[in-house]
Amino acid sequence: MPPTSPDLELFILALIQRGCATPYDMKAKAGISVGSSAPVLERHEKAALIKGSDPGIRDRREFTITKTGISTLEKKWRDLLATRPTDSDAVLRITYLAWALGRENVVTEFIEATAVTLQNTAATRRAEANQLEPMASGLGGEAFRWLKSSFEAARLEAQSKALKELGKQIRKQKKK
C-alpha cells in the first residue's frame, strides 16, 4: 500500500493532539475510516510521533502524541499551505490544520488562494468542454470527454463557492 498524502499524515497527528485517541474516535468524530487511519497510526508509532497504549478490550489502543510528534506537526503543517490541491478531502484537511494550528489570517489566505485555484481549474475544464461540445453529438469518445469536462468544471466551481462559504463560517466561529 502506498503512503498516504502528507495532509492526511499531519491531519491525524492534529486529531490525536486534540483528543481523538483511538481509530474509533477518528471515525466517530472526524469521519476518518479505520482503514485510512490504521496504516497512518502504524507509521506514526514506528516513527515515534505517537505512542500507543497496550491493547485493551477488543484490542482497543489509545494514542497520544509525543514531543517529536508535536514538533513534526508544528514544523510541517505550514508547508501544506503552499500546495493548491483540488481533491476535496485534501483541501478540507489542510483547511482544518490551518484553522486549528494557525491564525484566522492563515486559514483565510489558504481558503482564498485555494478557491482561486479551483476556479482557474474549473475555467480550464469549461474551455475543454466548450471545444468538445460540437463533437459530442456524434457520441464518439469526444462525447464522454465532453461529459467529464463539463462535470468537472461544475464540480470545481461548486467546491470553490462552498470553500468560500466555509471561510465565512470559520470567521464567525472565531468571533464566538
Side-chain angles (χ1 to χ4, degrees):
M1 175 183 274
T4 57
S5 58
D7 56 271
L8 179 59
E9 300 275 338
L10 295 175
F11 176 66
I12 287 179
L13 275 179
L15 288 176
I16 293 168
Q17 186 180 43
R18 283 166 177 67
C20 285
T22 67
Y24 176 78
D25 285 345
M26 290 177 198
K27 181 178 180 184
K29 295 177 182 177
I32 304 297
S33 72
V34 173
S36 293
S37 65
V40 175
L41 292 170
E42 186 178 321
R43 279 192 299 279
H44 284 348
E45 193 169 22
K46 284 180 182 175
L49 302 176
I50 61 173
K51 182 172 178 17
S53 67
D54 290 333
I57 298 172
R58 295 187 210 163
D59 288 331
R60 183 179 185 270
R61 295 181 72 207
E62 290 192 12
F63 295 92
T64 55
I65 191 167
T66 64
K67 288 181 182 180
T68 303
I70 292 169
S71 176
T72 298
L73 182 59
E74 288 174 358
K75 288 177 186 172
K76 293 189 175 183
W77 76 269
R78 289 184 191 275
D79 294 343
L80 297 173
L81 298 175
T83 66
R84 294 293 172 254
T86 57
D87 169 66
S88 59
D89 286 336
V91 168
L92 295 175
R93 287 189 294 258
I94 297 169
T95 298
Y96 171 82
L97 287 164
W99 184 21
L101 303 171
R103 293 182 183 84
E104 184 177 328
N105 65 324
V106 174
V107 70
T108 300
E109 289 170 10
F110 176 75
I111 286 173
E112 289 172 3
T114 303
V116 168
T117 297
L118 292 170
Q119 274 302 130
N120 291 341
T121 306
T124 300
R125 297 294 178 272
R126 182 73 57 210
E128 290 170 2
N130 290 340
Q131 285 183 327
L132 292 165
E133 188 174 16
M135 298 175 270
S137 62
L139 293 177
E142 294 86 358
F144 181 76
R145 285 183 49 216
W146 171 73
L147 288 170
K148 188 171 181 176
S149 295
S150 297
F151 179 83
E152 286 295 308
R155 180 186 62 80
L156 290 162
E157 289 163 354
Q159 285 178 330
S160 176
K161 183 177 177 182
L163 190 58
K164 289 176 187 177
E165 184 57 36
L166 280 174
K168 290 177 188 175
Q169 292 174 9
I170 288 170
R171 284 189 289 280
K172 286 181 187 177
Q173 289 290 325
K174 287 284 191 179
K175 292 177 183 176
K176 289 182 180 181

